[in-house]
C-alpha cells in the first residue's frame, strides 16, 4: 500500500466512524468522492425540482380566484424559489456552482421530480399539488433534516417549516372548494384522481428496486426507505381525504388494524420508469421554459458581473 | 428531535398549533380607527382609496407575471416580494373602499369591474415584460419611477387625517423604500454594466417616460381631499421625484429623465386606459367570472 493510499484508507475509516457516531459532515471535512457525488445528485434533484416546480403553479397566479388566494399562491411559489436557492447554495459548498447545475439540468443530465411534468388543469389542482405534492415532500424531507451533511440538513430544516405551510394552505383551499358548488366538489375529486398516482411515485422505486438506497442509508444521507416514506404518506393522506369527503383512486386503500397502517396499492412501476426517464407529458415544455428564461436573462447577469468587476477595481483603488 | 415532532405534528388533527406557520396571520392594521374623518365626503374618500388601490393591484398583477421567468432566482424572489407588498396594499385599500361605500368587498372590486371602472395610473398597467411586450430593463425602469413617486406620496400620506390611510402609508413607505432601492441598484448596474445593457436600460426608460407626467397631475378628488389633509396632491412631489431620478440616472451614467408633456392630465384616474389593461383584466378575472357562485 502506498503512503497516499494508506492516508486515504485512514481518512475513510475516520469518516465512516463519524457517520456511525451520527456526527455532521461539514464542507471542509474530508469525504469520499462517492459521498460527494451522491449528495450532489440528490441535492441537485431537489433544487431543480423546486425551480421547475414553480412553473405549473406560477401559471395560476394571474387568475387566482380571490386576492387572498393570489397572495398565498404568490408567496408559495416565491418560497419555492427560496428553497431552490438554499439547496443550490448548499451544493456550492461541495464545489459545484449553480450555473453548472443549470447547464446539467438543461442538458438532461440531472433530474427533477416527474410530478411537475403533469399539467395543472384546474384551480383544484393548485390545492391538490400542495396537499399531496407538498405533503409527500414533507415525508421525504423531514428525515433529510437529520442527513449527515451539515449544510443540507440545515437547509432542509428551514424548508420543512415552510413546506408545512404550503401543505396546509392547499388542504384549506380544497376544504373551501368542498363547501362550495357541486361543480367545485367534482373538481376536487377529479383532481385527486389525477394526482394520486404521480404523488405516490414521488417516493421513488420500491426498496427492492432502488439502486441508491443501501449506500445512501449507510452514509446517512437518506434516513428512511422509499417504502417506509410512502407508507407514512398514505397514513397521513388517507384520513385527510376522508375528512375532506373525497376518495383516492385506489380500491385497496383501507385501514389495517393488525398492521396499524393503511393498506394500499403501489403505483404502476412501468409507468414510473417511463415518467422518470423523461417521458412525462410536459417534460419538453418545462425544460424549454427554463432554457428560455436562462438564455433571455443572460445579458442581465453579464451586466451585473461587468458592473461588479468594474466596482471591485474602484474599491481596491479607493 | 424537533424535526420528527414537526412531522408528527402534521398528522395530528387538532388545532392551529400543529402547523409550523398558521394561516391566521394577524392584521397589523386591525386596531386602527377606521372612522371617516369629520367633514370628509365619503364618496371622495372611497374614490381616492380606489385610485391608490387600483395602482397597487394592477401593478402587483404585472409584476407577478415575472414569477418563474426572472433572469436569476434571487430576482424571482425579489419581484414576487415586491408584488406581494403591493398586493397587500391593494387589499387594504380596496377593503377600505367597500367599507366606506358600505357595499361589496375587495374581491368584488377586483373581479367584477371592467377596464373603464379602474382608476389606476396607466404606468401600472403597461405590459413591460417578461415576453414580447418588454424586458427586465423596462421592468426596472418602471419600478424606479413608480416606487420613487409612490414613496414620496406615502411619506406625506403617513400624516393623513384618515387614520387607516396614515397607518397603511407609514407601513407601506418602509416597504417601498426597499422597492426603490432594488430598482436603483439594477438601473445603475444595467446603465453602467455592458454597452448592451446600457442600450437596453436606455430603451427601458424611454418606454416609461411618456407615462410619468400623469403621476403628478392631480385629479379633482385628490385636490379636494388634499385641502382637507386627507390626501396628497401629487403635483407637490414632482420636484422631489425628479431630483431622485436625476441622481440615480447620473450614477447609472445615463441621461436625465425626459418627461414628456401629456395631452390628457390624468387619463388613468378617469378610467381611460391603454389597450394593455384589457388583456390583463381578462386573465385576472377569468376564473372567477367563469364560475359565478363558487367559493374560494
Amino acid at each position: 500500500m502506498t503512503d497516499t493510499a494508506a492516508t486515504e484508507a485512514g481518512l475513510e475509516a475516520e469518516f465512516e466512524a463519524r457517520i456511525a457516531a451520527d456526527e455532521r459532515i461539514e464542507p471542509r471535512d474530508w469525504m469520499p468522492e462517492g459521498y460527494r457525488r451522491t449528495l450532489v445528485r440528490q441535492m441537485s434533484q431537489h433544487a431543480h425540482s423546486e425551480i421547475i416546480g414553480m412553473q405549473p403553479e406560477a401559471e395560476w397566479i394571474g387568475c387566482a380566484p380571490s386576492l387572498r388566494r393570489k397572495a398565498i399562491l404568490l408567496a408559495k411559489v416565491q418560497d419555492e424559489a427560496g428553497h431552490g436557492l438554499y439547496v443550490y447554495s448548499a451544493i456550492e459548498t461541495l464545489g459545484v456552482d449553480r450555473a453548472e447545475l443549470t447547464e446539467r439540468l438543461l442538458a438532461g443530465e440531472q433530474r427533477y421530480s416527474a410530478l411537475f411534468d403533469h399539467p395543472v388543469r384546474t384551480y383544484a389542482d393548485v390545492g391538490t399539488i400542495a396537499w399531496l405534492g407538498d405533503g409527500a415532500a414533507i415525508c421525504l424531507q423531514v428525515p433529510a433534516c437529520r442527513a449527515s451533511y451539515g449544510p443540507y440538513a440545515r437547509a432542509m430544516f428551514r424548508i420543512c417549516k415552510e413546506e408545512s405551510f404550503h401543505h396546509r394552505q392547499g388542504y384549506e383551499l380544497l376544504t373551501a372548494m368542498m363547501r362550495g358548488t357541486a361543480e367545485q366538489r367534482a373538481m376536487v375529486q377529479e383532481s385527486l384522481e389525477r394526482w394520486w398516482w404521480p404523488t405516490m411515485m414521488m417516493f421513488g422505486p420500491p426498496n427492492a428496486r432502488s439502486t441508491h438506497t443501501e449506500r445512501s442509508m449507510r452514509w446517512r444521507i437518506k434516513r428512511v426507505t422509499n417504502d417506509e416514506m410512502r407508507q407514512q404518506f398514505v397514513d397521513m393522506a388517507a384520513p385527510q381525504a376522508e375528512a375532506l369527503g373525497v376518495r383516492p383512486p385506489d380500491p385497496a386503500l383501507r385501514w389495517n388494524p393488525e398492521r396499524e397502517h393503511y393498506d394500499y396499492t403501489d403505483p404502476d412501476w412501468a409507468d414510473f420508469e417511463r415518467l422518470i426517464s423523461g417521458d412525462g407529458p410536459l417534460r419538453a415544455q418545462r425544460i424549454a421554459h427554463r432554457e428560455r428564461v436562462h438564455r433571455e436573462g443572460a445579458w442581465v447577469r453579464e451586466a451585473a458581473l461587468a458592473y461588479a468587476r468594474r466596482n471591485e477595481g474602484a474599491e481596491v483603488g479607493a | 428531535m424537533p424535526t420528527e415532532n414537526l412531522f408528527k405534528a402534521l398528522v395530528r388533527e387538532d388545532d392551529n398549533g400543529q402547523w409550523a406557520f398558521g394561516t391566521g396571520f394577524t392584521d397589523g392594521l386591525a386596531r386602527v380607527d377606521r372612522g371617516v374623518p369629520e367633514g370628509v365626503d365619503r364618496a371622495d374618500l372611497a374614490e381616492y382609496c380606489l385610485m391608490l388601490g387600483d395602482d397597487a393591484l394592477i401593478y402587483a398583477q404585472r409584476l407577478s407575471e415575472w414569477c418563474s421567468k426572472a433572469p436569476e432566482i434571487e430576482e424571482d424572489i425579489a419581484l414576487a416580494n415586491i408584488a406581494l407588498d403591493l398586493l397587500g396594499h391593494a387589499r387594504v385599500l380596496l377593503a377600505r373602499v367597500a367599507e366606506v361605500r358600505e357595499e361589496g368587498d375587495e374581491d368584488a372590486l377586483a373581479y367584477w369591474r371592467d377596464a373603464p371602472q379602474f382608476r389606476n395610473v396607466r404606468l401600472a398597467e403597461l405590459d413591460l415584460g417578461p415576453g414580447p411586450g418588454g424586458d427586465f430593463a423596462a421592468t426596472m425602469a418602471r419600478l424606479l419611477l413608480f416606487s420613487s413617486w409612490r414613496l414620496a406620496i406615502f411619506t406625506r400620506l403617513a400624516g393623513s387625517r384618515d387614520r387607516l390611510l396614515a397607518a397603511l402609508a407609514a407601513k407601506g413607505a418602509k416597504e417601498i423604500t426597499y422597492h426603490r432601492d432594488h430598482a436603483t441598484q439594477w438601473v445603475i448596474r444595467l446603465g453602467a454594466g455592458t454597452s448592451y445593457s446600457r442600450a437596453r436600460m436606455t430603451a427601458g426608460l424611454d418606454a416609461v417616460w411618456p407615462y410619468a407626467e400623469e403621476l403628478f397631475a392631480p385629479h379633482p378628488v385628490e385636490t379636494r381631499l388634499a385641502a382637507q389633509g386627507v390626501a396628497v396632491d401629487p403635483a407637490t412631489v414632482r420636484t422631489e421625484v425628479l431630483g431622485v431620478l436625476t441622481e440615480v440616472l447620473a450614477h447609472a451614467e445615463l441621461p436625465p429623465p425626459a418627461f414628456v408633456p401629456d395631452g390628457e392630465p390624468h387619463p388613468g384616474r378617469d378610467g381611460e386606459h391603454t389597450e394593455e389593461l384589457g388583456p390583463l383584466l381578462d386573465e385576472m378575472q377569468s376564473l372567477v367570472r367563469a364560475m359565478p357562485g363558487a367559493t374560494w
Side-chain angles (χ1 to χ4, degrees):
Chain A
M1 193 184 265
T2 65
D3 284 353
T4 322
T7 313
E8 187 98 337
L11 286 167
E12 184 139 10
E14 195 188 326
F15 172 86
E16 298 284 353
R18 287 184 62 193
I19 293 276
D22 242 345
E23 281 181 39
R24 286 268 161 86
I25 306 300
E26 296 298 337
R28 288 177 186 172
D29 297 342
W30 184 89
M31 61 186 82
E33 200 40 44
Y35 177 82
R36 184 187 302 270
R37 261 201 317 274
T38 303
L39 280 170
V40 170
R41 181 182 58 76
Q42 183 177 324
M43 290 163 70
S44 61
Q45 181 165 338
H46 179 183
H48 295 327
S49 298
E50 296 281 2
I51 298 305
I52 296 286
M54 292 168 71
Q55 290 180 35
E57 290 173 302
E59 288 166 12
W60 291 80
I61 294 169
C63 66
S66 73
L67 297 187
R68 176 170 173 268
R69 292 289 170 207
K70 189 188 292 289
I72 290 172
L73 187 56
L74 186 52
K76 178 180 192 286
V77 181
Q78 184 197 31
D79 281 351
E80 283 156 9
H83 298 174
L85 196 54
Y86 299 155
V87 182
Y88 281 130
S89 302
I91 303 170
E92 287 186 351
T93 67
L94 293 163
V96 189
D97 74 17
R98 204 199 306 176
E100 183 183 338
L101 293 168
T102 304
E103 296 301 332
R104 283 161 73 177
L105 168 71
L106 298 180
E109 294 164 16
Q110 289 182 332
R111 284 174 176 170
Y112 60 87
S113 174
L115 185 77
F116 304 116
D117 287 339
H118 297 278
V120 177
R121 293 195 196 283
T122 70
Y123 208 80
D125 290 4
V126 171
T128 310
I129 289 173
W131 167 43
L132 296 181
D134 293 275
I138 288 167
C139 297
L140 284 160
Q141 291 169 358
V142 166
C145 297
R146 294 189 293 124
S148 56
Y149 189 56
Y152 189 43
R154 288 187 290 272
M156 290 312 304
F157 188 78
R158 193 162 170 181
I159 288 170
C160 284
K161 286 179 131 189
E162 293 179 350
E163 293 291 356
S164 77
F165 164 67
H166 297 175
H167 182 220
R168 174 162 189 171
Q169 67 76 31
Y171 192 72
E172 192 254 346
L173 165 63
L174 297 177
T175 308
M177 290 185 70
M178 292 302 288
R179 284 197 301 260
T181 61
E183 184 188 6
Q184 285 185 293
R185 284 189 288 279
M187 277 168 79
V188 177
Q189 175 64 39
E190 187 272 338
S191 176
L192 171 60
E193 287 170 16
R194 273 184 294 113
W195 289 95
W196 179 259
W197 297 116
T199 312
M200 291 287 280
M201 290 178 186
M202 283 175 70
F203 301 95
N207 296 348
R209 293 167 56 161
S210 173
T211 46
H212 301 296
T213 294
E214 188 271 329
R215 200 172 59 168
S216 292
M217 295 281 285
R218 183 165 54 83
W219 276 338
R220 303 201 176 172
I221 292 172
K222 190 169 183 165
R223 315 275 321 212
V224 185
T225 68
N226 295 353
D227 287 330
E228 283 173 299
M229 287 189 287
R230 200 168 359 252
Q231 179 72 63
Q232 275 185 333
F233 168 75
V234 173
D235 289 348
M236 174 172 76
Q240 287 173 338
E242 201 180 328
L244 201 55
V246 286
R247 172 82 205 170
D250 178 359
L253 185 70
R254 75 176 59 83
W255 178 251
N256 181 330
E258 281 165 37
R259 290 203 307 125
E260 296 201 319
H261 286 293
Y262 279 84
D263 290 337
Y264 64 90
T265 311
D266 268 339
D268 179 340
W269 296 120
D271 203 28
F272 170 80
E273 292 297 338
R274 187 180 62 74
L275 286 165
I276 65 161
S277 69
D279 199 28
L282 297 182
R283 167 61 58 107
Q285 181 185 317
R286 299 288 185 234
I287 290 291
H289 175 115
R290 188 78 196 97
E291 191 279 326
R292 188 179 62 248
V293 164
H294 190 63
R295 176 165 38 81
E296 288 176 355
W299 70 272
V300 176
R301 297 190 297 274
E302 281 158 19
L305 271 178
Y307 181 78
R309 273 192 219 106
R310 265 178 59 181
N311 252 35
E312 228 168 74
E315 274 166 28
V316 170
Chain B
M1 284 192 76
T3 54
E4 293 300 342
N5 291 340
L6 178 67
F7 172 72
K8 289 201 180 84
L10 279 166
V11 296
R12 281 206 320 263
E13 287 180 20
D14 43 25
D15 62 355
N16 227 24
Q18 68 184 297
W19 306 94
F21 296 104
T23 51
F25 293 107
T26 50
D27 173 7
L29 302 176
R31 280 179 298 169
V32 175
D33 174 9
R34 306 181 75 97
V36 174
E38 212 181 312
V40 171
D41 182 75
R42 294 182 79 91
D44 273 0
L45 180 61
E47 191 69 9
Y48 184 58
C49 291
L50 193 62
M51 292 173 184
L52 297 182
D54 283 348
D55 290 342
L57 174 63
I58 299 302
Y59 190 21
Q61 179 78 7
R62 274 291 177 228
L63 273 173
S64 67
E65 290 171 2
W66 277 98
C67 198
S68 88
K69 296 175 186 158
E72 195 60 287
I73 304 172
E74 285 85 345
E75 212 49 38
D76 267 315
I77 297 172
L79 293 174
N81 212 66
I82 295 168
L84 275 166
D85 286 343
L86 292 167
L87 184 54
H89 302 174
R91 293 183 64 193
V92 171
L93 288 161
L94 295 183
R96 178 71 166 163
V97 174
E99 177 184 277
V100 172
R101 287 182 178 167
E102 297 174 335
E103 181 186 43
D105 59 20
E106 60 178 52
D107 289 329
L109 287 162
Y111 292 96
W112 295 98
R113 284 181 299 153
D114 295 325
Q117 295 166 287
F118 276 80
R119 293 288 175 261
N120 58 284
V121 292
R122 292 176 305 163
L123 179 69
E125 75 207 28
L126 300 177
D127 182 1
L128 297 176
D135 69 353
F136 187 73
T139 296
M140 286 301 132
R142 167 165 53 192
L143 185 60
L144 179 66
L145 175 57
F146 185 92
S147 57
S148 300
W149 166 70
R150 195 69 156 190
L151 181 58
I153 299 276
F154 270 33
T155 306
R156 288 160 180 77
L157 195 59
S160 171
R161 280 177 59 222
D162 184 279
R163 299 284 178 79
L164 187 78
L165 280 176
L168 171 72
K171 175 175 174 284
K174 289 182 196 153
E175 295 165 349
I176 298 169
T177 302
Y178 283 103
H179 307 173
R180 190 181 69 172
D181 181 62
H182 192 72
T184 299
Q185 290 192 39
W186 272 113
V187 170
I188 292 174
R189 275 190 208 112
L190 297 179
T194 61
S195 57
Y196 181 74
S197 70
R198 179 185 172 77
R200 297 282 289 252
M201 196 61 241
T202 306
L205 289 161
D206 288 343
V208 303
W209 294 144
Y211 301 90
E213 284 295 2
E214 180 182 349
L215 305 178
F216 308 104
H219 186 276
V221 166
E222 289 172 305
T223 309
R224 284 199 294 273
L225 288 180
Q228 291 182 297
V230 170
V232 177
D233 178 347
T236 61
V237 305
R238 190 176 182 279
T239 309
E240 179 185 317
V241 173
L242 205 52
V244 168
L245 296 174
T246 304
E247 192 184 332
V248 172
L249 296 180
H251 277 288
E253 300 162 25
L254 292 164
F259 287 7
V260 186
D262 203 350
E264 295 285 326
H266 39 70
R269 298 285 189 234
D270 288 332
E272 290 163 27
H273 293 283
T274 66
E275 288 174 359
E276 291 161 29
L277 182 60
L280 177 147
L281 295 178
D282 287 347
E283 191 202 0
M284 188 172 86
Q285 300 169 335
S286 57
L287 180 53
V288 166
R289 291 189 176 199
M291 296 182 69
T295 50
W296 305 100

